[in-house]
Structure formats: C-alpha cells, structure tokens
C-alpha cells in the first residue's frame, strides 16, 4: 500500500499524496469550484481531475519535477525557466475566466491593506521598522491600474513542473481568475531573481522590472505574518524575509 504523504496542511486546507494521486481537502467549496473550472479553461498543461466528493478533490500527479523550491537553488535550466515564461504568456493571453480572482483588488483597497499590515508588522515586533518602511516604498510601484488577464493567482515556483525543458503541468489553481499578469510573474520568481531574465525571455514582451520588484515586496509584506501564524518559516534562508532584506 502506498504511504500517505502530507504535502501541505494548515487550518484552511490540506493536501495529501497517495501514490500518484493528490487529495485536496478544503471546506471552502468556492475554492474547489474555481480550481476545477480554471484547470478546464487554462490553455496550459494541468492535472487530470479524477473525482470529486466534497470536501475532497482527487487529481492525478503531473509528470516531471518542480521548477524549484523557495529558499533553495533551482537546478532547472535557463531553457526550462524560459518555457515557464512562455506557458504563463499563453495563459495571460487566453480569454478571461468569468470570475474575478480572489487577489483582484483595486489599488486603493490593496494600499489600505498593505498599510495596515505594515503597521502590525512593526507594532508586534515581527520586522524592524526600517525594513518595512523601505519595502513599503518599493511596493508603491505595484499599486497602479492594470489590465485584467487570466492569472493563476498563486504561481509559486513549486507549482510549475518541467521535464526536458518543457512545462508538463501547472498545479494548484484555487486562486485563479482575472488578475494582474505581473503578479504571476513576480510570484514565480520570488526568491529567484537570478532567473527573471530567463522567464521574461520566454514570456516574450517587455516587462517593467520595478513593478516586478514591487510585487516581490508587496507579496512578502502581506505574507510574513500569515506564514508565521500557519506554521511556515518566512525567516528561512532565501524566503520572504530575505526577499525583503534584499531591497535595502
């Protein structure tokens, strides 16, 4: 019998792996609805849905290996990173899904959330004031109007699988929807700035690097407290706090 491996687990959801099957347990059925529909609409390789019985969704493993892990050097080739960029461009050029992404917020709303989070980070002694202030300044460039695209919404490096420099699957679509294309690109390259040029080469269009850096700061500032509260180590080498420190 295959052993049960806990891939990720926190108070909101859990993902287990049994052999070549992933079981996603989520009491928020809206997230599961989005995941299933987004995988059906996305013009890129996605996992096969095997069955669904709320609150569990069963999907097949995708071939290949993850592009990398946050906090660890990526062993993927520049060509593999470029292939990821090309796949993301294909997604962003696709017709918009009929729902707003969970992360789609107007600049004023996002700025208010960011300011509140920055205040808590300093007030609670999570991060030093100078680090928070500098990254809040950098994040300002992300707070601008943008044209909605079909976005993944949580395109972490370990959600993209490659084999022989080709993308074989993109997983975890529960945050997909209409969103800012640069947020996807920034999420993929968070902590892996050295591969940004490869991704942009594959993406095939000019990108404002200041806006990418802004999203690195913004995402990290908004994520640190949540990660700590849910048992993750944002202070691990190469992770969110190091991303913030790199802006000093």
């Amino acid at each position: 019998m295959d052993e049960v491996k806990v891939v990720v687990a926190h108070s909101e959801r859990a993902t287990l792996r049994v052999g070549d099957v992933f079981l996603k347990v989520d009491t928020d059925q809206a997230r599961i609805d989005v995941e299933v529909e987004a995988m059906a609409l996305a013009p890129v390789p996605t996992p096969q849905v095997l069955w669904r019985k709320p609150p569990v969704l069963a999907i097949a493993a995708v071939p290949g290996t993850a592009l990398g892990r946050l906090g660890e050097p990526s062993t993927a080739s520049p060509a593999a990173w470029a292939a990821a960029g090309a796949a993301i461009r294909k997604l962003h050029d696709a017709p918009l899904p009929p729902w707003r992404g969970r992360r789609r917020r107007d600049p004023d709303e996002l700025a208010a959330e960011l300011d509140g989070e920055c205040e808590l980070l300093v007030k609670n002694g999570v991060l030093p004031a100078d680090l928070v202030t500098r990254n809040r300044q950098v994040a300002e460039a992300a707070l601008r109007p943008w044209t909605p695209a079909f976005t993944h919404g949580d395109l972490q490096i370990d959600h993209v699988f490659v084999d022989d420099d080709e993308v074989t699957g993109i997983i975890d679509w529960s945050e997909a929807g209409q969103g800012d294309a640069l947020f996807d690109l920034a999420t993929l390259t968070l902590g892996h700035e050295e591969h940004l040029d490869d991704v942009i080469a594959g993406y095939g269009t000019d990108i404002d690097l200041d806006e990418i850096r802004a999203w690195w700061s913004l995402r990290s500032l908004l994520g640190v407290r949540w990660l700590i509260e849910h048992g993750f180590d944002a202070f691990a080498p190469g992770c969110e706090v190091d991303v913030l420190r790199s802006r000093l």
Side-chain angles (χ1 to χ4, degrees):
M1 178 180 293
D2 292 314
E3 67 175 7
V4 177
K5 178 182 178 182
V6 178
V7 179
V8 63
H10 50 76
S11 60
E12 295 182 1
R13 67 189 92 163
T15 301
L16 310 175
R17 180 168 187 168
V18 184
D20 288 332
V21 177
F22 286 89
L23 303 174
K24 305 192 75 170
V25 184
D26 195 330
T27 57
D28 184 346
Q29 289 307 294
R31 269 196 297 252
I32 296 296
D33 291 342
V34 165
E35 180 144 16
V36 171
E37 189 167 356
M39 289 191 293
L41 293 175
V44 296
T46 62
Q48 177 189 2
V49 175
L50 300 176
W51 52 265
R52 180 181 180 187
K53 186 175 181 180
V56 182
L57 172 68
I59 60 176
V62 297
T65 57
L67 196 59
R69 307 284 178 191
L70 183 62
E72 301 176 7
S74 171
T75 59
S77 69
W81 281 89
I88 298 167
R89 177 64 184 274
K90 190 173 183 180
L91 174 67
H92 291 169
D93 284 346
L96 291 175
W99 66 90
R100 290 170 59 96
R102 288 174 178 264
R103 300 182 186 275
R104 181 176 174 180
R105 286 161 288 184
D106 65 56
D108 291 340
E109 180 186 0
L110 189 56
E113 180 183 356
L114 179 60
D115 288 339
E117 189 63 30
C118 288
E119 182 179 353
L120 287 173
L121 288 170
V122 176
K123 180 180 178 180
N124 296 336
V126 179
L127 294 174
D130 63 336
L131 184 64
V132 173
T133 299
R134 172 55 184 153
N135 278 276
R136 175 60 182 86
Q137 293 169 346
V138 173
E140 187 67 27
L143 303 174
R144 85 287 181 228
W146 41 268
T147 302
F150 187 163
T151 58
H152 181 280
D154 191 23
L155 199 63
Q156 300 177 51
I157 184 176
D158 55 355
H159 290 169
V160 179
F161 283 71
V162 294
D163 187 32
D164 288 335
D165 298 335
E166 297 290 338
V167 174
T168 54
I170 299 177
I171 66 172
D172 287 356
W173 290 81
S174 61
E175 303 293 329
Q178 298 177 22
D180 183 350
L182 294 191
F183 179 77
D184 271 354
L185 294 172
T187 301
L188 179 70
T189 55
L190 183 76
H192 289 274
E193 185 170 357
E194 70 277 10
H195 295 292
L196 179 58
D197 287 346
D198 298 323
V199 171
I200 292 175
Y203 195 74
T205 184
D206 290 336
I207 298 295
D208 188 324
L209 297 184
D210 285 340
E211 291 180 5
I212 293 289
R213 296 184 183 102
W215 271 119
W216 287 337
S217 290
L218 198 157
R219 181 184 172 99
S220 297
L221 286 170
L222 291 181
V224 167
R225 258 190 342 113
W226 186 95
L227 290 165
I228 294 171
E229 291 171 359
H230 288 79
F232 300 100
D233 187 3
F235 288 84
C239 294
E240 284 78 5
V241 175
D242 270 359
V243 171
L244 295 173
R245 289 170 176 156
S246 70
R247 296 304 110 199
L248 292 178

